[in-house]
Amino acid sequence: MGKGGRADIPTKSAIWQSKYNPLDPSAPKLPSKGEIKAAIPKECFERSALHSFYFVFRDSIMAAALVFAAYTFLSTDVPSEIMSLDMLKWIVGWNIYAFWQGTVLTGHWVLAHECGHGAFSSSQFLNDIVGYIIHQALLVPYFAWQYTHAKHHRRTNHLLDGESHVPSTGTENGLGPNNERLSFYAVIHEALGDGAFAGFQVFTHLVVGWPLYLLGLASTGRLDANGKPLEEGDVIDHFRPGSKMFPAKLEWKIVLSTLGVIGVLGGLLKLSLDYGFLTVFLWYGAPYMWTNSWLVLYTWLQHTDPSVPQYGSEEWTWVKGALSTIDRPYGIFDFFHHKIGSTHVAHHLFHEMPFYKADVATAAIKEFLGPLYNYDPTPWYQAMWRIAHTCHYVEGTNGIQYYKSLEDIPLSSSKAKAE
């Protein structure tokens, strides 16, 4: 089964742990996808374009209201005096706009995500038109992401053929055969210390993680579109039609997605030249960064925990992967983000289900699965910080693996002596 067994996590009432441990001989048998679906009311799978467009309209009204408020009360001109009340108001005002506009636009992102899954309406042609427009406006290569995200659902928590947030190994993180700290993250962690490294993890995920993923530089799988291991130096990005991430039949769709991104970037460049780069950053760039942070946060937290298993090829099954998903509470942000984080288990089991039916489905799934349903009640920001401390690598890509922490690796002799 591989040597990356589940660690004994200290039993504190505040620390959630998944109740399913596949390494336990008494672990319950997992149900089939069909058995789970039979427990969900059939109306949960009914899609309505009109209902979905209502949410596009609702979210767009909120985005327009924020633009109006910012236009009315804020100026893109930097106050002349740095140490002044005007400067403080300027900084606070634009940061409030950026956060909430990015939060609202994440709702649009989720709606385009629904389109990619075919959950927006019963017409995939309509889904693709709406999804393409919304996602391309947010610099997402719609068809390229549609394919890789579908693979993420097909191979959830698969250590070789998974997609997005695929765990790296200790060796890839710079650990030697005897857990010596040789390079990369292992050395960075030792230099920074536990808390600073956790902050570094949050930064790399939420600030630069999304563009690095699209460029094929982080968090991708280990196999190409043909199921062959990637070779040294291979970059599987979302933009080149010849990227090994995609089968040849998708080339024209990849081209269309990339042209859309280039078109939006060209428009932003033209606006920057006409009105100033700071102006475009304030109106578009800063909210865009918050949107990226939200979407990475959701994917990171819904599939990552030291008590949730990751599977090698010989152990993985679709049901095992899907049931490794975790629902979490997001408070007020559920309203803006269409409950993508608090009903994510249902979404991973049946991605074609519209999000506005996921509450009912989640209740049915919870009742049917019992302890096999993962729900961590920890507030999302606390869960993020805990995961940044505890989920750094797995020991290998075979068998059943669990996330390990660099905090449990002894410091190098020179560092230990210095302390």
Side-chain angles (χ1 to χ4, degrees):
M1 280 194 176
K3 61 179 182 179
R6 173 163 155 169
D8 291 328
I9 303 171
T11 54
K12 298 178 183 178
S13 59
I15 298 180
W16 173 84
Q17 294 185 48
S18 174
K19 295 179 181 179
Y20 175 66
N21 180 3
L23 295 173
D24 186 344
S26 62
K29 179 183 177 182
L30 298 182
S32 68
K33 183 179 181 180
E35 289 171 333
I36 300 172
K37 187 173 184 178
I40 301 173
K42 292 182 179 179
E43 58 266 24
C44 289
F45 297 92
E46 297 173 358
R47 298 163 292 178
S48 166
L50 184 62
H51 200 164
S52 297
F53 270 118
Y54 159 74
F55 288 100
V56 175
F57 178 76
R58 187 203 75 174
D59 291 357
S60 298
I61 289 295
M62 289 191 292
L66 285 168
V67 169
F68 177 78
Y71 183 80
T72 302
F73 298 106
L74 297 173
S75 170
T76 57
D77 295 329
V78 181
S80 56
E81 295 185 25
I82 296 178
M83 304 300 293
S84 66
L85 185 59
D86 286 341
M87 177 60 81
L88 178 62
K89 291 178 178 178
W90 189 85
I91 293 173
V92 171
W94 279 113
N95 273 281
I96 290 173
Y97 166 79
F99 175 78
W100 284 108
Q101 187 68 284
T103 296
V104 169
L105 291 177
T106 304
H108 289 83
W109 206 103
V110 172
L111 293 172
H113 158 269
E114 290 276 296
C115 293
H117 280 304
F120 188 87
S121 77
S122 58
S123 168
Q124 192 54 45
F125 180 71
L126 177 61
N127 293 338
D128 286 342
I129 290 176
V130 176
Y132 184 87
I133 292 171
I134 296 176
H135 261 178
Q136 298 294 158
L138 295 171
L139 294 177
V140 180
Y142 173 75
F143 290 114
W145 171 87
Q146 182 186 47
Y147 175 82
T148 58
H149 190 66
K151 183 180 179 183
H152 165 69
H153 276 255
R154 290 196 308 270
R155 296 289 188 270
T156 306
N157 282 33
H158 194 302
L159 287 165
L160 288 177
D161 203 24
E163 186 58 44
S164 118
H165 294 274
V166 179
S168 54
T169 65
T171 301
E172 292 166 343
N173 273 326
L175 292 177
N178 297 310
N179 281 345
E180 314 96 308
R181 294 174 180 265
L182 302 177
S183 62
F184 198 39
Y185 278 150
V187 173
I188 294 174
H189 171 264
E190 179 167 287
L192 294 178
D194 295 346
F197 186 77
F200 175 69
Q201 285 281 292
V202 172
F203 174 83
T204 55
H205 278 81
L206 304 192
V207 180
V208 298
W210 176 247
L212 289 179
Y213 171 64
L214 291 182
L215 292 169
L217 301 177
S219 193
T220 59
R222 295 180 168 88
L223 304 180
D224 65 17
N226 297 315
K228 297 180 180 179
L230 294 172
E231 299 175 1
E232 186 74 25
D234 278 344
V235 176
I236 48 173
D237 60 273
H238 281 71
F239 301 104
R240 293 176 299 123
S243 172
K244 290 185 178 182
M245 182 174 275
F246 307 111
K249 65 181 181 180
L250 289 184
E251 284 187 356
W252 73 271
K253 284 190 172 183
I254 307 306
V255 170
L256 188 60
S257 296
T258 301
L259 289 176
V261 171
I262 292 173
V264 174
L265 286 174
L268 292 172
L269 177 60
K270 179 65 166 60
L271 290 171
S272 298
L273 293 173
D274 290 345
Y275 299 100
F277 286 90
L278 178 60
T279 297
V280 173
F281 177 78
L282 292 173
W283 285 111
Y284 180 91
Y288 167 77
M289 293 180 67
W290 275 110
T291 296
N292 291 349
S293 295
W294 276 117
L295 70 95
V296 171
L297 176 74
Y298 281 118
T299 313
W300 186 22
L301 296 192
Q302 305 323 123
H303 302 288
T304 309
D305 189 89
S307 70
V308 169
Q310 310 281 332
Y311 298 97
S313 297
E314 67 277 18
E315 290 285 348
W316 182 89
T317 67
W318 184 87
V319 171
K320 283 181 178 179
L323 292 183
S324 296
T325 308
I326 310 162
D327 281 348
R328 300 182 186 276
Y330 288 89
I332 190 176
F333 299 109
D334 267 344
F335 169 79
F336 294 98
H337 301 158
H338 310 299
K339 300 185 178 180
I340 191 63
S342 58
T343 61
H344 210 72
V345 174
H347 172 65
H348 256 265
L349 286 166
F350 305 104
H351 61 261
E352 70 279 10
M353 179 192 302
F355 73 87
Y356 44 82
K357 302 290 184 69
D359 266 345
V360 174
T362 295
I365 289 169
K366 181 179 180 180
E367 181 178 357
F368 177 76
L369 291 178
L372 294 176
Y373 168 71
N374 287 325
Y375 176 78
D376 180 0
T378 309
W380 61 268
Y381 45 90
Q382 292 181 15
M384 175 187 71
W385 190 240
R386 184 182 72 215
I387 288 169
H389 274 278
T390 59
C391 297
H392 298 151
Y393 71 96
V394 292
E395 292 182 342
T397 58
N398 61 310
I400 298 172
Q401 301 283 340
Y402 286 88
Y403 266 110
K404 308 295 182 183
S405 173
L406 289 170
E407 296 181 11
D408 298 325
I409 302 299
L411 301 177
S412 64
S413 57
S414 59
K415 181 75 172 180
K417 288 179 180 179
E419 295 183 353

